[in-house]
């Protein structure tokens, strides 16, 4: 649970993955625990000095919002979610300051999300966003809230936050150009030369037109008609070529941005594993090769039956079947309302998006995940899956709604796709086993 934790002066906060705690003397310090949703609470290793020393200190008998939050985190780390909820509720009743209230509400929301209580999760997060300056990016990037993000309550909360002026994910669109520049570093230089050469050709053409007019009129001292016409033609041709190149480069950038957007959207699509745990596709990177089967129910069911014959070999190659049945997705109704003005202010929890992939790549996380993965997963929010697949079909020139399959690489990118259902025997020959060198390179 990417959780906000309060810890006392003179103590150290130990967590299950590499993190840096920021603390100052005489002040409260905050930290987001970077563990993954795929790790059950009872397996998390969190040591809080404040909680561990509570029974040893004579001051521990006096409850404070701070001590309750820390004790609640300790309970949650040991799988005592119900007891953790009691502590967070107690913290909220002890007149907490804005930072303590933000922590209690966010941690309480994570507990409710783990229990599958979408409405209670949304209520806690709504209050934290509205009154205590919680960043919506924290909710977007926390893998422990993946199950909540798959619920209609999250869509409602997202729309309310957007209408209230919150950044609910659109900032990623502002980062697309930066990502695009990293992938195509010389595009800006090319465009500069396109504009410069077009401008030079335009200036030359501007100066050539009067000469061409005098050449056409003839007479003494008139410029050579063929030479002047040739210069004008070169200038016009240069303008056409450089403008065409500029437009072509813009079109390539749009295609690249669209692909980056699709890749980001795909990485956040939710799945339900055989253990009933909800994860996002990004959390399966380096662990499995998802094979998306999209089509009519009969077609997809038959393809899965055929895949069962090769189950052992496909599992060796990390194949995870993801069936998507056309028409199963329904868009939830979203109530149009905003948060309004913020009453209280607290130091917002920092965004953890930059550390999201690091947390999903931890050795402990991967070992836990492997134990939960079976041969097939169930899609959550089918409408989002269908929308992504249809966008992918349009980008590849396939009629939207056709039966298709999409094979992903271990790094999450699309490996191959095609119409109809896959040839499982050919797939066994094509994909290397997980322990093979080529699989390691694919990661």
């Amino acid at each position: 649970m990417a959780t906000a934790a309060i810890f006392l002066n003179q103590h150290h906060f130990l967590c299950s993955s590499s993190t840096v705690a920021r603390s100052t003397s005489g002040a409260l310090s905050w930290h987001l625990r970077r563990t993954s949703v795929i790790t059950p609470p009872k397996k998390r290793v969190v040591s809080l000095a404040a909680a561990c020393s509570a029974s040893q200190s004579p001051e521990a008998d006096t409850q404070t919002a701070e001590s309750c939050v820390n004790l609640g985190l300790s309970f949650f780390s040991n799988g005592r979610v119900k007891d953790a909820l009691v502590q967070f509720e107690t913290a909220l009743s002890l007149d907490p300051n804005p930072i303590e209230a933000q922590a209690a509400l966010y941690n309480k929301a994570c507990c409710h999300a783990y229990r599958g209580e979408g409405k209670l999760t949304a209520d806690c997060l709504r209050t934290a966003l509205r009154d205590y300056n919680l960043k919506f990016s924290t909710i977007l990037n926390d893998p422990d809230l993946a199950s909540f993000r798959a619920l209609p309550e999250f869509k409602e909360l997202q729309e309310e936050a957007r209408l209230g002026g919150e950044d609910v994910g659109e900032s990623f669109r502002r980062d697309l150009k930066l990502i695009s520049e990293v992938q195509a570093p010389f595009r800006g230089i090319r465009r500069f030369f396109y504009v410069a050469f077009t401008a030079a050709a335009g200036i030359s053409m501007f100066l050539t037109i009067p000469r061409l007019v005098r050449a056409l009129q003839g007479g003494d001292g008139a410029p050579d008609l063929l030479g002047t016409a040739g210069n004008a033609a070169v200038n016009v041709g240069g303008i056409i070529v450089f403008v065409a190149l500029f437009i072509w480069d813009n079109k390539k950038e749009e295609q690249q941005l669209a692909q980056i957007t699709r890749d980001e959207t795909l990485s956040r699509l939710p799945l339900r594993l055989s253990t009933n745990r909800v994860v996002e596709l990004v959390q399966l990177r380096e662990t499995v090769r998802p094979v998306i089967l999209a089509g009519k129910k009969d077609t997809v069911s038959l393809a899965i039956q055929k895949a069962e014959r090769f189950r052992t070999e496909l599992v060796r190659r990390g194949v995870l079947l993801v069936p998507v049945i056309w028409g199963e997705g329904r868009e939830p109704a979203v109530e149009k309302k905003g948060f309004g003005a913020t009453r209280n202010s607290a130091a917002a929890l920092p965004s953890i998006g930059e550390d999201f992939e690091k947390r999903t790549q931890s050795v402990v996380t991967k070992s836990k995940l492997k134990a939960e993965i079976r041969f097939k997963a169930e899609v959550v929010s089918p409408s989002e899956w269908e929308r992504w697949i249809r966008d992918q079909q349009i980008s590849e020139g396939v009629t939207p709604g056709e039966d298709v399959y999409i094979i992903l690489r271990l790094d999450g990118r699309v490996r191959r796709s095609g119409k109809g259902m896959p040839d499982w025997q050919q797939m066994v020959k094509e994909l290397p086993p997980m322990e093979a060198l080529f699989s390691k390179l694919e990661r």
Side-chain angles (χ1 to χ4, degrees):
M1 177 170 63
T3 326
I6 312 170
F7 53 104
L8 303 174
N9 306 326
Q10 311 296 329
H11 291 288
H12 299 285
F13 178 52
L14 306 179
C15 60
S16 59
S17 60
S18 59
T19 53
V20 178
R22 302 187 301 273
S23 61
T24 57
S25 177
L28 296 177
S29 181
W30 292 91
H31 179 62
L32 286 175
R33 287 200 294 123
R34 294 167 183 155
T35 53
S36 174
V37 68
I38 56 179
T39 308
K42 63 181 180 179
K43 297 294 184 182
R44 296 179 180 159
V45 182
V46 179
S47 175
L48 294 170
C52 295
S53 61
S55 61
Q56 301 173 4
S57 172
E59 299 176 357
D61 293 336
T62 304
Q63 282 188 323
T64 64
E66 176 185 337
S67 64
C68 287
V69 170
N70 283 331
L71 186 57
L73 292 173
S74 180
F75 283 152
F76 191 91
S77 68
N78 292 313
R80 298 169 60 181
V81 180
K82 185 176 180 180
D83 293 334
L85 279 170
V86 172
Q87 292 300 317
F88 297 140
E89 290 168 357
T90 303
L92 291 170
S93 69
L94 294 176
D95 192 25
N97 63 39
I99 297 178
E100 293 167 341
Q102 185 195 79
L105 285 165
Y106 186 79
N107 293 330
K108 185 182 176 187
C110 289
C111 289
H112 285 308
Y114 181 81
R115 289 156 59 108
E117 299 166 343
K119 187 178 184 305
L120 294 175
T121 303
D123 289 342
C124 292
L125 293 175
R126 183 178 290 108
T127 303
L129 288 163
R130 180 187 59 204
D131 298 339
Y132 299 105
N133 201 26
L134 174 69
K135 285 187 178 180
F136 203 90
S137 58
T138 304
I139 302 172
L140 288 172
N141 293 317
D142 189 349
D144 287 335
L145 291 175
S147 58
F148 172 66
R149 288 194 293 271
L151 299 176
E153 288 84 356
F154 170 72
K155 304 296 187 301
E156 296 175 7
L157 184 70
Q158 189 175 39
E159 180 64 13
E160 291 174 33
R162 185 187 69 79
L163 293 174
E166 287 282 331
D167 177 8
V168 296
E170 284 82 358
S171 61
F172 174 74
R173 302 295 180 266
R174 296 194 293 269
D175 297 334
L176 289 180
K177 287 187 176 294
L178 179 59
I179 298 173
S180 176
E181 281 296 327
V182 171
Q183 295 182 0
F186 300 110
R187 177 176 286 126
I189 297 176
R190 291 199 304 269
R191 285 179 174 175
F192 170 78
F193 282 113
Y194 295 156
V195 173
F197 291 153
T198 300
I203 294 173
S204 179
M205 186 65 189
F206 179 77
L207 298 175
T208 302
I209 290 176
R211 291 175 54 83
L212 181 61
V213 172
R214 292 202 304 272
L216 290 173
Q217 292 175 346
D220 294 338
D224 179 62
L225 179 60
L226 291 178
T228 305
N231 290 336
V234 170
N235 290 328
V236 171
I239 293 173
I240 293 174
V241 169
F242 290 124
V243 169
L245 288 173
F246 189 87
I247 294 174
W248 174 82
D249 218 335
N250 277 347
K251 186 175 181 180
K252 294 292 291 184
E253 183 185 31
E254 290 175 2
Q255 294 173 350
Q256 187 180 36
L257 294 176
Q259 184 61 52
I260 295 171
T261 302
R262 286 196 299 273
D263 290 344
E264 171 68 10
T265 302
L266 174 64
S267 70
R268 296 306 179 93
L269 291 177
L271 287 172
R272 180 175 285 108
L273 302 179
S274 58
T275 56
N276 208 36
R277 186 174 302 281
V278 176
V279 299
E280 291 174 336
L281 205 57
V282 66
Q283 295 171 251
L284 302 179
R285 285 180 182 173
E286 301 187 5
T287 307
V288 295
R289 292 185 175 100
V291 177
I292 303 170
L293 307 173
K296 302 179 184 65
K297 186 173 182 179
D298 293 342
T299 305
V300 174
S301 299
L302 181 60
I304 293 175
Q305 291 177 12
K306 291 181 179 179
E308 288 288 347
R309 305 173 192 171
F310 305 91
R311 181 185 182 112
T312 302
E313 289 302 318
L314 290 174
V315 169
R316 279 193 63 210
R317 286 154 176 78
V319 170
L320 177 69
L321 303 184
V322 182
V324 179
I325 310 301
W326 294 131
E328 284 194 348
R330 295 181 181 179
E331 291 287 348
V334 177
E335 186 178 356
K336 303 294 184 180
K337 58 183 180 180
F339 288 135
T342 299
R343 296 196 304 269
N344 299 325
S345 177
L349 293 173
S351 171
I352 56 174
E354 64 274 11
D355 297 302
F356 177 59
E357 292 193 13
K358 292 181 181 179
R359 288 183 288 119
T360 62
Q361 302 301 327
S362 68
V363 175
V364 174
T365 290
K366 292 301 178 184
S367 63
K368 300 288 185 184
L369 181 58
K370 288 178 182 177
E372 297 194 53
I373 292 175
R374 301 295 185 269
F375 187 49
K376 187 177 71 170
E378 175 187 352
V379 298
V380 181
S381 299
S383 60
E384 296 182 11
W385 281 89
E386 288 189 33
R387 186 182 302 111
W388 181 86
I389 294 171
R390 291 179 188 276
D391 289 344
Q392 188 72 11
Q393 287 177 323
I394 293 173
S395 71
E396 296 184 2
V398 178
T399 303
E402 284 194 35
D403 297 340
V404 293
Y405 67 90
I406 303 171
I407 305 173
L408 304 184
R409 294 160 46 98
L410 288 173
D411 60 9
R413 293 182 295 169
V414 175
R415 179 190 186 97
R416 181 165 60 83
S417 60
K419 296 181 181 180
M421 294 293 110
D423 183 336
W424 301 111
Q425 188 172 7
Q426 178 63 31
M427 188 179 297
V428 169
K429 295 178 181 178
E430 173 187 342
L431 298 177
M434 293 294 288
E435 65 274 9
L437 175 61
F438 286 110
S439 293
K440 295 178 181 179
L441 294 175
E442 191 175 305
R443 292 182 175 93

